[in-house]
Amino acid sequence: MMTPIVLLVALVSAVPHEEFVLKPGAPVWDFAAQDVTGDGMAELFVLCCDTKSRPLNKFVAVYEADETGGYLAEPTSKIALKPEQSTLFFAEVDGAAPPELVTVDAEGAVVLAYRNGRFEEIAAPRFRSLYPSGVREPVFLKDVAVDLDRDGIDEWLSPAPMGYDLRNADGLIASLSCDVVSDIYSYHEGIRITHRLPDFTVFETSEDAVKGLAFLSDEAADFAYGPGWAERRRFVVPLNVDEKWDADTKMADINGDKFPDLVVTQTKGTINLKAVTHVYLASAPFTYPEKPTKTFEADGAVSSPALLDVDGDGDLDVVLLKIPFGVRNIITLFLRRKVSVKVEVYLFNDGTFDEKPSYVERLSLDAPDGRERIAYSFGDFSGDGRIDVAYGRGANRLVIHTSDTERLVSAKPWVTLSLPSFGVARPCDLNGNSAQDLVIYHPGGEHKERVEVVVF
């Protein structure tokens, strides 16, 4: 039996939880949680790369939970990666649980299965794709492997010049074109080519035996469905913001009708910023209104929407994070190293969004230095079905506030953790109970070679 190494902290409440500090021995760029041993506890797969090494020293540090749900500081095992292997995801490849670990690069993939207490290579298909090779900051991808034809084996969505290739370990299944934004730049030191592929999600219709795919770019939603995914539909988003500076698109089933709704945010201006978010609710499969169902505007602020079930009713609500870009906020940033964030929540009730925000909160967060970012996350950490908010406050303090019918952020922290306030914080389910857990890592930051895990 392993004895977890626990980080001791001073708590403001007696909320049952445990904290663990993982030390894989190299800079951490991403992680994934997946139960590959079948014991009901998720293993943590920490993706590491020493960017200063030549060739690049890449590996996955694997942390297995013990019977108490704890994690040791040192990894249980390590999976060595070649320098070209830069993207990873989990997929069901052999038709039997648990899923396999797939690593991909521009020339193909390597499939690793957990068998007899270790990972073994079971396939190495070769194919060309837009997956990069030799990336210094490798990543895990989510939701790129889906069982679309219900045969127990996942199909992979592999990025291609005209959209996505649908394939598995045995070969190409279909090529799906969609709205890809490409750019090319010529410099004295070479040529730079970029491709921005659209967001995608899976949908179902009662007539089709296979699941369909929806692709959303800045300007259009493309649908591929039916036998061989040969049936195509397109919805052109009727939005034209002049002098467009940035765009963000999302797809999700907001109202529970099993078809994706669209959320498109566009921002224009530099000093006089204006962010406009349009929500298009599908009235039927492939049918959206010409005018947006709901519009949210933010003047003088950078606005980023999130789709979350805040009140636990099964519908997705809109959470707007607004960072004002005014003189007062700039002065506060330079003099006090603080960033003011306004949070507005619009609940979805009776088939529409509330006209006025149900919650309005103002948070003052410490401004990070360099590449670091403010650690924050939304998740149900208390297990009551409502969204809670975790964010960094102070140099080494991370607080979690619960929500209720009156407030999104409780007056006092539910839990205070002595953890770094800068980094990337993500909710995940590590032990299968009703409460989500929290994982924090620090790409490029002061604590780049460690990961903090908070288990509720």
Side-chain angles (χ1 to χ4, degrees):
M1 173 179 174
M2 295 188 296
T3 303
I5 296 178
V6 182
L7 176 67
L8 300 178
V9 297
L11 300 178
V12 298
S13 61
V15 177
H17 76 279
E18 291 185 276
E19 302 169 43
F20 308 94
V21 177
L22 313 184
K23 298 179 179 180
V28 176
W29 298 104
D30 207 350
F31 85 95
Q34 180 69 51
D35 179 14
V36 297
T37 61
D39 63 355
M41 301 286 187
E43 284 70 52
L44 285 169
F45 294 80
V46 179
L47 186 51
C48 302
C49 178
D50 183 356
T51 59
K52 296 181 180 179
S53 63
R54 293 295 182 273
L56 292 173
N57 176 26
K58 292 182 183 179
F59 62 89
V60 180
V62 184
Y63 291 84
E64 295 184 24
D66 66 9
E67 56 268 30
T68 68
Y71 298 90
L72 287 173
E74 300 298 322
T76 310
S77 62
K78 291 184 179 181
I79 302 172
L81 300 175
K82 295 179 180 179
E84 61 267 23
Q85 293 174 305
S86 301
T87 309
L88 297 86
F89 58 87
F90 285 94
E92 187 51 69
V93 175
D94 59 6
E100 284 66 49
L101 177 63
V102 183
T103 72
V104 291
D105 56 61
E107 299 293 330
V110 174
V111 181
L112 302 172
Y114 186 80
R115 295 174 178 174
N116 303 317
R118 63 188 184 92
F119 282 91
E120 302 175 355
E121 181 179 322
I122 62 170
R126 298 291 88 191
F127 56 89
R128 295 287 182 90
S129 72
L130 287 183
Y131 280 123
S133 295
V135 172
R136 296 183 180 184
E137 302 175 12
V139 298
F140 271 104
L141 294 181
K142 292 180 61 179
D143 305 324
V144 297
V146 186
D147 183 9
L148 297 173
D149 55 7
R150 311 174 203 270
D151 65 350
I153 296 176
D154 289 341
E155 284 72 42
W156 313 343
L157 281 103
S158 178
M162 299 303 293
Y164 289 92
D165 285 340
L166 203 60
R167 64 170 61 249
N168 56 28
D170 294 328
L172 180 66
I173 299 170
S175 292
L176 307 177
S177 61
C178 51
D179 189 17
V180 178
V181 179
S182 299
D183 290 295
I184 184 169
Y185 306 91
S186 178
Y187 299 98
H188 292 295
E189 62 272 18
I191 297 174
R192 176 183 176 186
I193 299 174
T194 63
H195 298 280
R196 182 186 174 194
L197 277 73
D199 183 23
F200 63 86
T201 191
V202 176
F203 68 91
E204 298 187 51
T205 62
S206 58
E207 298 83 8
D208 295 330
V210 301
K211 299 176 183 178
L213 289 162
F215 304 94
L216 178 62
S217 69
D218 297 354
E219 301 176 354
D222 291 300
F223 302 91
Y225 61 101
W229 297 272
E231 299 291 331
R232 306 304 301 270
R233 294 281 190 95
R234 166 170 281 201
F235 171 73
V236 177
V237 178
L239 179 63
N240 183 19
V241 178
D242 294 333
E243 300 177 4
K244 185 173 62 177
W245 174 60
D246 198 6
D248 177 74
T249 58
K250 293 180 174 67
M251 282 189 295
D253 181 9
I254 293 174
N255 54 5
D257 64 359
K258 297 184 179 180
F259 199 80
D261 305 300
L262 314 181
V263 179
V264 181
T265 298
Q266 292 191 323
T267 306
K268 68 174 184 178
T270 51
I271 300 300
N272 297 318
L273 284 172
K274 182 175 183 179
V276 181
T277 295
H278 292 286
V279 180
Y280 298 85
L281 295 181
S283 57
F286 316 111
T287 304
Y288 297 92
E290 291 187 5
K291 295 184 178 180
T293 309
K294 182 69 175 180
T295 298
F296 305 96
E297 295 188 4
D299 291 325
V302 177
S303 179
S304 176
L307 297 174
L308 301 167
D309 183 6
V310 173
D311 52 2
D313 65 352
D315 294 326
L316 297 181
D317 310 300
V318 168
V319 179
L320 288 179
L321 303 176
K322 298 181 178 181
I323 303 177
F325 197 68
V327 174
R328 181 175 180 179
N329 216 27
I330 294 175
I331 292 175
T332 302
L333 173 63
F334 280 99
L335 295 183
R336 299 179 55 202
R337 305 299 301 170
K338 298 283 186 180
V339 175
S340 174
V341 178
K342 184 179 181 182
V343 183
E344 295 180 355
V345 178
Y346 293 82
L347 297 179
F348 189 85
N349 290 308
D350 300 323
T352 187
F353 288 100
D354 293 345
E355 285 298 320
K356 296 182 179 180
S358 301
Y359 305 99
V360 178
E361 304 284 353
R362 289 176 171 81
L363 306 178
S364 180
L365 310 178
D366 284 354
D369 293 320
R371 293 191 54 181
E372 293 190 302
R373 64 195 80 178
I374 301 169
Y376 75 91
S377 178
F378 295 95
D380 182 12
F381 306 112
S382 62
D384 63 354
R386 300 183 64 89
I387 285 293
D388 308 311
V389 184
Y391 63 93
R393 178 187 291 175
N396 288 286
R397 187 160 60 118
L398 194 142
V399 296
I400 300 178
H401 290 259
T402 56
S403 66
D404 54 36
T405 56
E406 301 296 328
R407 299 189 62 168
L408 177 67
V409 179
S410 55
K412 295 183 178 180
W414 176 61
V415 173
T416 298
L417 307 168
S418 295
L419 299 176
S421 58
F422 300 141
V424 178
R426 291 184 190 167
C428 56
D429 182 13
L430 299 177
N431 52 16
N433 63 12
S434 60
Q436 289 184 292
D437 309 298
L438 187 64
V439 177
I440 308 105
Y441 62 105
H442 315 271
E446 177 185 355
H447 304 289
K448 60 186 177 183
E449 295 191 13
R450 60 180 265 177
V451 177
E452 295 88 40
V453 182
V454 185
V455 180
F456 293 97

